[in-house]
Amino acid sequence: MRKHQQEKIQNLVTTLYEATDEIKRQFLRTNIPTVIELLIECQNMAVHIGEFIESVKGEDTRTVELLTQYHTSLYHIAVDIETSNVNFVEQLKIELRMIDNSIQNELKPNKIEVVFFPYKASMWDSLESIWLAAKEDPQCDAYVVPIPYFDRIPGGELGRAHYEGDQFPDYVPILDWENYNLEEHRPDISFIHNAYDSGNVITTVHPDYYSNNLKKYTELLCYSPYFVTFDEVEKHLALSAGLVYSDRVFVQSDRVRDGYVNAIQAYEKEQNCVGGFGKLDEKIVASGSPKFDKIINSKPDDFTLPDEWKKLIEKSDGSWKKIVLYNTSVGPILKGNEKYIAKLRSVFNTFRNHDDIVLWWRPHPLSEATYSSMRPLLLDEYRQLINEYQLENYGIYDNTADLHRALNLSSAFYGDATSLVPMYQCMPKPLMVQNEDLSDHLSIGSVCDTEKYLYFLTLHMNGFFRLDKKTWNVEHMGNFVNEKMLDWRVYHSIHQSGNKLYFSPHSAAAIAIYDITKSTFEYIDLPTPKEMNYNVHSKFSKIIECEGSLYFIPLHYPGIVKLNMEDNSTEIIDEWVASTKEISNPDMGYFPNGVYDERRGSLVLASMNADAVMEVNLSNKTTKSNILGNDKYGYADIVMIDGHYWLLSLGSPCLVSFNIEDGTTLEYKINLEGIPADRFGQFQKILFSENSLYLVPADLQQMVKFSLTNYSYSYVDDFCPASLQSGDSLSKNIPTGYYNVSSSATDKIYVTEKQSNRFIEYDPKTGSLHEESITLTAGSSIVQNFSMHMQGNVLKNANSCTFWEHPYFASLENLFDMISQPVPEPWLHKRLEQQVELRHAEISHPDGKAGIEIYEKSKKAVLD
């Protein structure tokens, strides 16, 4: 008996109760013909209920016996109705209660129906281990029903239809979607691996299988994502339509679960719809992922190769060449345009020169659809690239649904930073994430302007440089010890005090100090915070100097760190941490910037995820949160001018002026044509110059100026990088904005244009603009020393065997050298073991049994 069948029977019995009350009313009105008709209808329904129970449970059930007795009672009442009194109604209700109790006890749900609705055969691994658990359960009827999907044509209309039911493994029994009627079956549990519904701009499943429609016909709608992550969750993944309608969302780890919950809660707060996604504590479940189950449980012997592939792989002695799995994805297609195709050609050329290594190219299954829908002008060139690759026959082109064959049989991974990377890390094999374009330009992070040099940090690697302001030549000044050589923002900001430069740790573990005259580094350990659970990869933002000390302003570190510059002693100021939880979510970060107000002896800090400015009195450590009432997100930057505060809104294009003395605020919305009213993070920094505030763009192309004389906005015409002058339309396709904005200790504005990686300097005082591609001169002693140092650290002292390609120190050739050794070097063998241990430690169910837990929890939810 299934739950919905029991509920159907109970609903019919409820109808009999209601009919009994109507019989009583009609009897008291002496409307005997109507009473007899109702008694006959009740008899017929009792027969119908009994037949339904026997069709499900068979004969000789107590419930059917009671229904037969009830049927007989109805007959006798009808016969004797002329001489009966109303007491017969109570007797009927007693019999109905006995039937109801029997239904509860004898017809308890002990059978469930589970249906799986995959749409891409290559994504079946996100559901397979759940299905394997379901099909082994004698209490479960499990069905695999692949559903059709459509390409999106430019403009968003539905294009060509696809159905991949014939591409699933032979051991998976497929039920045609046209033969599975949702309304008739009413499955207890439905599993999906796609949550986008109509929100996917490349493909869409058949609208009948959107999550809101599936929910109408199923007791428990479950979403098991077709991807896994690097333990960080992109916001859009957590806000898909399927997340709203699903009853359960099964994710790979506790950390990923927290990411989903935080993103959803922030969205609900922003949109004033708290609870709109349901009970998140119950909905989002850290169960592990079936995708990890598949990679953990698979063995090379599970897979076979086509003969034409074997010819490429096998040597004359029967042994195998080394195989590099090359995985390309759809995100870089949208970001890179022609550059990405040029990157593919470059990779293919490298493999052509290595007969001892086989390229196994496996593009994302939606790559061609992405070009067709989003980049139609490049579709023919991409198809031509595929044809050339297949005709030359020096590598494998794998567009099959069997992803795990490539994962298991390859020797190493190379390609884009997709969910295949954390899956591949479950195996003792090296990985290299490719640099998506061919650029060797440095991406500038923080800068510090001195008389002769511009000192700077890079965004992607552990390196400290200086740029000669006359020649724009670059020198490598050193690296920060005990830190990863490749990481996002090792240090965030540079602050100069005297002849020393101070660096605020971002992913780094210690404060760094560089003596300009001695060219030496020293490091100061951070004090231990009371709260140890925080984002260690995003610790501090700006450094503020006052009264002989430096104050490190926290992004996620739970405390302001004070550094006494005389003796390098440290102190943590964290009395404010508890109070911020009342107005903001600490997981979303604390402060992007702040200022020192000498009049008040206080730090005044702009909150990045609350509509507030916090004041910290440095003498007594008291704090005060000033709620401004202008921005539902928070603020990107704050400056103080003549004792007055100006804040840059994150959530909407506007500036907010704040008078801390009386708590008043004024909002100045940007009303310029071309600036959306609701886009997040359009500007990232404010710079005060010449009685104007300059709003530095991040997600927009043009800079905006706000006059403090007449309180009006205008575009900065002098800020016209080459991409704007050429009308470069391709840069408009970059989904993550136009510029990386430098955190700077200078009165100039520095940004890096994302598409070209050009470094741009703009001087508001003179209106001059200088842009240049910053590179290290190839072949110079600096580059050679830097490369040797970086290679030694990256390849031998990394925390895992996942490397990030870089033109100076980590190339595809390095990966070839690594796997070409007959026996892995000791350092490599050790790192491979650590890689697997680290990845297993970060996921739920490293034993490969996530699917079992997911199935059992889902079953319990519908039967309890």
Side-chain angles (χ1 to χ4, degrees):
M1 177 68 67
R2 289 179 51 205
K3 186 173 183 179
H4 88 92
Q5 293 170 329
Q6 185 198 46
E7 289 175 348
K8 179 179 178 180
I9 295 168
Q10 289 173 323
N11 291 336
L12 291 173
V13 172
T14 299
T15 302
L16 289 175
Y17 274 112
E18 294 169 352
T20 303
D21 290 335
E22 182 62 22
I23 287 171
K24 180 179 179 179
R25 282 192 291 271
Q26 296 299 330
F27 181 82
L28 293 175
R29 294 174 184 172
T30 67
N31 193 350
I32 301 304
T34 301
V35 171
I36 293 174
E37 287 179 8
L38 290 170
L39 291 169
I40 294 172
E41 288 180 10
C42 290
Q43 281 185 302
N44 292 336
M45 185 170 291
V47 171
H48 173 70
I49 296 171
E51 290 175 346
F52 179 73
I53 292 172
E54 288 181 340
S55 70
V56 177
K57 292 286 289 183
E59 299 180 354
D60 300 327
T61 60
R62 174 61 176 162
T63 307
V64 172
E65 181 182 340
L66 292 172
L67 282 164
T68 302
Q69 294 174 9
Y70 170 71
H71 184 278
T72 302
S73 296
L74 291 168
Y75 171 76
H76 289 306
I77 291 169
V79 171
D80 300 330
I81 193 66
E82 297 290 348
T83 59
S84 297
N85 60 45
V86 76
N87 291 338
F88 74 84
V89 171
E90 189 56 38
Q91 177 59 34
L92 289 178
K93 288 190 174 182
I94 291 173
E95 294 188 33
L96 286 174
R97 282 194 288 273
M98 293 175 63
I99 293 169
D100 203 9
N101 290 335
S102 183
I103 292 169
Q104 293 288 342
N105 297 321
E106 184 183 43
L107 304 183
K108 287 182 179 179
N110 61 357
K111 190 83 172 177
I112 62 172
E113 181 172 315
V114 180
V115 61
F116 298 84
F117 289 117
Y119 83 107
K120 291 290 294 180
S122 59
M123 299 174 182
W124 170 240
D125 63 340
S126 60
L127 300 174
E128 183 175 271
S129 64
I130 311 171
W131 168 76
L132 288 171
K135 81 179 186 67
E136 293 301 319
D137 182 5
Q139 288 186 297
C140 176
D141 292 325
Y143 298 97
V144 179
V145 184
I147 57 177
Y149 67 96
F150 300 89
D151 293 335
R152 292 276 198 190
I153 60 177
E157 298 298 320
L158 298 185
R160 185 167 55 125
H162 302 270
Y163 176 72
E164 299 187 2
D166 59 343
Q167 298 181 32
F168 283 71
D170 294 339
Y171 55 82
V172 181
I174 299 302
L175 180 61
D176 190 281
W177 66 285
E178 292 183 303
N179 295 329
Y180 187 88
N181 188 304
L182 261 173
E183 192 169 1
E184 291 178 2
H185 277 259
R186 301 195 72 87
D188 298 282
I189 308 172
S190 295
F191 278 96
I192 58 175
H193 65 198
N194 180 291
Y196 292 114
D197 292 351
S198 62
N200 192 331
V201 297
I202 298 171
T203 62
T204 179
V205 300
H206 193 296
D208 287 352
Y209 297 92
Y210 287 170
S211 56
N212 63 333
N213 195 54
L214 291 177
K215 183 55 192 164
K216 296 176 185 175
Y217 304 108
T218 191
E219 177 75 14
L220 194 78
L221 180 60
C222 299
Y223 169 45
S224 177
Y226 68 88
F227 56 86
V228 291
T229 76
F230 291 89
D231 294 331
E232 300 291 341
V233 180
E234 296 181 38
K235 184 177 178 181
H236 72 93
L237 297 176
L239 302 178
S240 303
L243 271 293
V244 177
Y245 296 101
S246 292
D247 300 291
R248 296 289 185 276
V249 178
F250 295 102
V251 298
Q252 69 197 61
S253 67
D254 287 318
R255 184 171 176 181
V256 171
R257 181 192 180 278
D258 292 343
Y260 272 86
V261 171
N262 291 338
I264 292 171
Q265 287 178 337
Y267 176 82
E268 289 180 338
K269 180 181 176 182
E270 294 160 7
Q271 301 299 320
N272 195 26
C273 60
V274 174
F277 279 73
K279 298 178 180 178
L280 299 183
D281 288 344
E282 183 179 89
K283 172 178 282 197
I284 314 295
V285 182
S287 59
S289 169
K291 295 180 76 68
F292 286 123
D293 286 353
K294 182 71 173 179
I295 197 70
I296 292 168
N297 296 324
S298 296
K299 305 180 297 296
D301 291 343
D302 297 336
F303 306 96
T304 58
L305 286 172
D307 290 339
E308 59 270 24
W309 293 7
K310 283 184 181 179
K311 293 177 183 178
L312 292 170
I313 294 172
E314 286 187 349
K315 299 179 182 178
S316 57
D317 62 0
S319 63
W320 278 23
K321 300 176 183 179
K322 298 297 183 179
I323 303 168
V324 175
L325 168 60
Y326 183 37
N327 174 244
T328 54
S329 61
V330 298
I333 292 173
L334 301 177
K335 179 181 177 183
N337 300 292
E338 292 99 333
K339 287 185 178 181
Y340 192 63
I341 292 180
K343 173 66 177 179
L344 296 181
R345 292 191 183 278
S346 173
V347 171
F348 295 161
N349 286 334
T350 301
F351 276 91
R352 282 191 186 96
N353 298 322
H354 285 271
D355 294 335
D356 56 331
I357 296 176
V358 176
L359 169 61
W360 187 322
W361 182 28
R362 185 177 173 83
H364 190 285
L366 296 178
S367 294
E368 191 164 336
T370 301
Y371 275 108
S372 178
S373 175
M374 304 297 292
R375 299 292 183 268
L377 295 178
L378 299 176
L379 177 60
D380 288 342
E381 186 175 357
Y382 179 69
R383 286 175 173 168
Q384 181 182 350
L385 180 68
I386 294 174
N387 291 336
E388 292 172 358
Y389 176 73
Q390 291 178 299
L391 286 172
E392 292 188 51
N393 198 34
Y394 59 86
I396 294 168
Y397 178 71
D398 184 2
N399 62 352
T400 69
D402 194 349
L403 161 67
H404 290 268
R405 174 172 54 187
L407 294 175
N408 272 268
L409 300 183
S410 57
S411 312
F413 173 96
Y414 175 74
D416 296 325
T418 68
S419 64
L420 265 64
V421 171
M423 292 169 65
Y424 210 86
Q425 288 171 334
C426 290
M427 301 182 293
K429 303 177 183 181
L431 305 87
M432 180 172 284
V433 177
Q434 74 173 351
N435 182 357
E436 294 166 4
D437 60 32
L438 303 176
S439 172
D440 60 354
H441 305 162
L442 297 176
S443 296
I444 311 302
S446 302
V447 299
C448 180
D449 197 355
T450 65
E451 182 178 352
K452 185 177 180 182
Y453 296 106
L454 188 70
Y455 289 91
F456 68 87
L457 303 169
T458 63
L459 291 174
H460 301 288
M461 63 184 181
N462 176 348
F464 173 49
F465 303 85
R466 73 180 183 187
L467 180 150
D468 188 301
K469 292 165 67 174
K470 289 184 178 180
T471 65
W472 277 58
N473 290 332
V474 173
E475 294 179 82
H476 169 232
M477 307 304 293
N479 303 99
F480 301 101
V481 300
N482 300 323
E483 302 296 341
K484 293 181 181 179
M485 288 301 153
L486 291 177
D487 208 352
W488 174 260
R489 281 195 185 277
V490 178
Y491 286 89
H492 191 283
S493 298
I494 310 173
H495 176 84
Q496 182 180 16
S497 184
N499 63 348
K500 291 185 178 181
L501 300 178
Y502 295 82
F503 303 85
S504 66
H506 194 258
S507 66
I511 297 168
I513 306 172
Y514 180 76
D515 190 308
I516 296 175
T517 57
K518 298 178 181 178
S519 299
T520 57
F521 288 93
E522 61 180 313
Y523 301 90
I524 309 297
D525 290 335
L526 291 170
T528 303
K530 294 175 185 176
E531 295 191 17
M532 298 299 293
N533 185 23
Y534 66 95
N535 184 352
V536 297
H537 299 290
S538 180
K539 296 184 182 71
F540 297 97
S541 54
K542 188 177 179 179
I543 303 172
I544 298 176
E545 180 177 355
C546 58
E547 301 174 1
S549 294
L550 299 180
Y551 292 85
F552 292 77
I553 307 307
L555 282 170
H556 287 91
Y557 195 85
I560 298 166
V561 171
K562 174 184 178 182
L563 175 69
N564 186 314
M565 289 188 289
E566 184 175 348
D567 60 7
N568 283 346
S569 62
T570 60
E571 174 189 351
I572 190 166
I573 302 171
D574 57 7
E575 292 81 2
W576 53 271
V577 173
S579 64
T580 61
K581 295 179 180 179
E582 300 174 5
I583 60 173
S584 65
N585 181 356
D587 291 334
M588 305 298 287
Y590 293 118
F591 313 108
N593 207 344
V595 297
Y596 174 60
D597 191 330
E598 187 176 2
R599 303 166 306 162
R600 305 172 68 87
S602 298
L603 296 177
V604 180
L605 310 175
S607 175
M608 65 192 302
N609 78 94
D611 181 20
V613 169
M614 191 180 77
E615 181 179 7
V616 181
N617 186 288
L618 296 181
S619 61
N620 57 25
K621 306 302 187 293
T622 58
T623 62
K624 177 185 178 182
S625 293
N626 300 275
I627 308 300
L628 305 190
N630 291 278
D631 191 292
K632 59 186 177 182
Y633 291 98
Y635 300 93
D637 202 2
I638 181 173
V639 296
M640 181 174 67
I641 304 169
D642 297 330
H644 202 79
Y645 295 98
W646 290 88
L647 296 108
L648 176 61
S649 170
L650 268 174
S652 58
C654 73
L655 286 168
V656 174
S657 73
F658 172 53
N659 187 325
I660 201 169
E661 302 293 341
D662 59 17
T664 58
T665 63
L666 288 173
E667 183 179 277
Y668 298 89
K669 288 188 175 295
I670 301 177
N671 54 2
L672 299 176
E673 184 178 351
I675 297 182
D678 57 355
R679 185 185 297 175
F680 184 86
Q682 297 178 70
F683 301 95
Q684 195 177 107
K685 179 180 172 59
I686 319 172
L687 184 71
F688 173 63
S689 181
E690 304 295 303
N691 208 33
S692 292
L693 295 176
Y694 287 79
L695 281 59
V696 184
D699 199 40
L700 292 175
Q701 281 189 304
Q702 292 177 277
M703 191 182 301
V704 168
K705 180 171 67 174
F706 179 73
S707 170
L708 293 175
T709 303
N710 57 19
Y711 301 105
S712 65
Y713 288 100
S714 61
Y715 281 116
V716 180
D717 295 331
D718 294 330
F719 182 79
C720 193
S723 59
L724 288 179
Q725 296 175 31
S726 64
D728 186 359
S729 60
L730 292 178
S731 62
K732 297 176 182 177
N733 296 317
I734 298 178
T736 55
Y738 294 98
Y739 302 105
N740 287 315
V741 180
S742 294
S743 173
S744 58
T746 173
D747 57 0
K748 297 178 183 177
I749 292 169
Y750 294 96
V751 298
T752 301
E753 205 270 337
K754 287 189 176 182
Q755 179 164 324
S756 67
N757 229 18
R758 286 190 294 268
F759 184 53
I760 301 168
E761 175 193 75
Y762 177 74
D763 188 340
K765 292 182 179 179
T766 64
S768 63
L769 182 140
H770 187 125
E771 57 180 311
E772 197 154 328
S773 297
I774 306 299
T775 62
L776 296 177
T777 305
S780 69
S781 59
I782 294 172
V783 170
Q784 291 173 1
N785 293 337
F786 182 55
S787 299
M788 289 175 61
H789 176 80
M790 295 294 274
Q791 284 192 25
N793 283 278
V794 169
L795 300 183
K796 296 190 178 181
N797 294 318
N799 291 330
S800 72
C801 285
T802 303
F803 311 111
W804 297 77
E805 184 181 23
H806 191 279
Y808 295 131
F809 51 83
S811 68
L812 190 51
E813 294 286 352
N814 295 139
L815 184 64
F816 291 169
D817 292 341
M818 200 179 301
I819 63 176
S820 294
Q821 303 298 323
V823 178
E825 294 185 39
W827 69 267
L828 178 59
H829 179 75
K830 181 180 179 181
R831 294 303 177 218
L832 291 172
E833 289 182 337
Q834 290 179 339
Q835 171 177 283
V836 175
E837 291 173 3
L838 286 169
R839 178 48 61 187
H840 281 191
E842 292 172 349
I843 62 174
S844 302
H845 277 295
D847 57 0
K849 296 181 179 179
I852 296 174
E853 179 181 332
I854 292 171
Y855 171 69
E856 293 296 340
K857 284 188 173 181
S858 303
K859 177 182 176 181
K860 187 175 186 296
V862 296
L863 291 183
D864 285 356

